[in-house]
Amino acid sequence: MIEKFKKKIEKVKLEKIQTKHINMGWYDWVNRSDIVNVLNEPPYRYTKKQLKKYIKNSNNKNTKMFAVIDKKKNKYFGNIRLTNISKNNCFCNYGRLIGVKDYKKKGYGAIMLYKICEYAFNILKLNKVFTYVYTDNKDSISSNKKFGMRKEGVLKNHFFKNGKFKDVIIFSFFSKDFKILEKKIKNL
């Protein structure tokens, strides 16, 4: 399994998110019902102008956002970002989006996590990456667990969505765990 994972890692790259990505699929993705239902942040449906502002706000010391590209096919298929980057506490929150359906349920969520952890732990020198996942988002729960993220707990009634409060699971991954994973992959 780890050998397949290594091959996929080598086929995927992160690049800084740019306005060109809006028309390359991002705008369509964030306005599809299947994706809107799992987004934690309003407005839940976006205009192109809002996405441009989103990009502008995602380029600072507390937030880093990337487009995810399949290098072999030169295909943009998703986004991943780090938010609430705390240099003092050495942690950040992550969020990801796989917009192209052909990349869902094929291990790319875990590859995206590997790439963003590589950035968070090796470049930013953080200790912890965490995320919030709706308790009914089975695909994301499964992907986080498969990658090795740990469930830290459940926050009850944490986000207000579609007229009701929703529970979220907090998943986290630590630098020491990433170093072990990274070593396994490099030693193949």
Side-chain angles (χ1 to χ4, degrees):
M1 180 194 138
I2 201 96
E3 288 178 28
K4 284 183 181 179
F5 192 73
K6 181 179 181 177
K7 287 179 182 176
K8 277 190 179 175
I9 289 169
E10 294 167 355
K11 293 178 184 176
V12 172
K13 71 175 181 175
L14 303 182
E15 67 180 38
K16 185 178 172 184
I17 196 79
Q18 300 173 46
T19 54
K20 72 177 184 177
H21 294 108
I22 294 170
N23 292 322
M24 292 173 69
W26 186 19
Y27 173 76
D28 295 326
W29 304 337
V30 295
N31 288 295
R32 273 193 354 234
S33 294
D34 63 314
I35 290 177
V36 169
N37 288 334
V38 297
L39 294 177
N40 293 342
E41 301 291 327
Y44 308 122
R45 300 249 184 222
Y46 288 87
T47 65
K48 290 181 180 183
K49 185 177 177 181
Q50 287 171 313
L51 291 178
K52 286 178 185 174
K53 186 176 179 183
Y54 195 90
I55 291 170
K56 185 178 176 188
N57 293 336
S58 292
N59 188 24
N60 60 60
K61 67 179 185 169
N62 298 318
T63 304
K64 302 295 179 200
M65 186 167 178
F66 302 94
V68 186
I69 312 294
D70 178 330
K71 291 192 291 190
K72 188 176 180 182
K73 297 179 181 177
N74 195 29
K75 177 81 173 162
Y76 166 53
F77 67 88
N79 296 333
I80 193 158
R81 73 181 188 144
L82 300 176
T83 57
N84 304 313
I85 299 169
S86 173
K87 292 288 188 168
N88 292 335
N89 295 304
C90 296
F91 67 69
C92 67
N93 182 246
Y94 95 85
R96 67 184 163 171
L97 165 69
I98 298 176
V100 177
K101 291 180 182 180
D102 291 346
Y103 287 81
K104 290 181 178 256
K105 297 184 181 184
K106 294 185 179 170
Y108 285 97
I111 299 304
M112 292 168 77
L113 273 173
Y114 183 88
K115 290 290 193 177
I116 205 66
C117 284
E118 189 174 48
Y119 183 83
F121 299 135
N122 296 343
I123 305 296
L124 298 179
K125 307 295 185 201
L126 301 178
N127 179 56
K128 177 180 177 179
V129 171
F130 67 94
T131 192
Y132 303 107
V133 179
Y134 289 131
T135 54
D136 61 354
N137 187 347
K138 304 303 181 205
D139 291 343
S140 186
I141 291 168
S142 175
S143 177
N144 280 295
K145 285 181 176 179
K146 282 180 185 174
F147 181 73
M149 294 195 85
R150 296 181 185 155
K151 178 180 172 181
E152 287 198 356
V154 176
L155 298 174
K156 297 291 194 181
N157 297 315
H158 194 69
F159 286 110
F160 192 75
K161 179 93 175 196
N162 297 329
K164 63 181 181 179
F165 286 99
K166 293 188 75 163
D167 299 346
V168 293
I169 300 169
I170 302 172
F171 283 103
S172 62
F173 201 68
F174 294 88
S175 176
K176 64 182 169 84
D177 299 320
F178 182 74
K179 297 297 179 205
I180 293 167
L181 176 61
E182 189 176 45
K183 189 175 180 180
K184 282 182 188 175
I185 289 169
K186 286 185 178 179
N187 287 336
L188 283 177

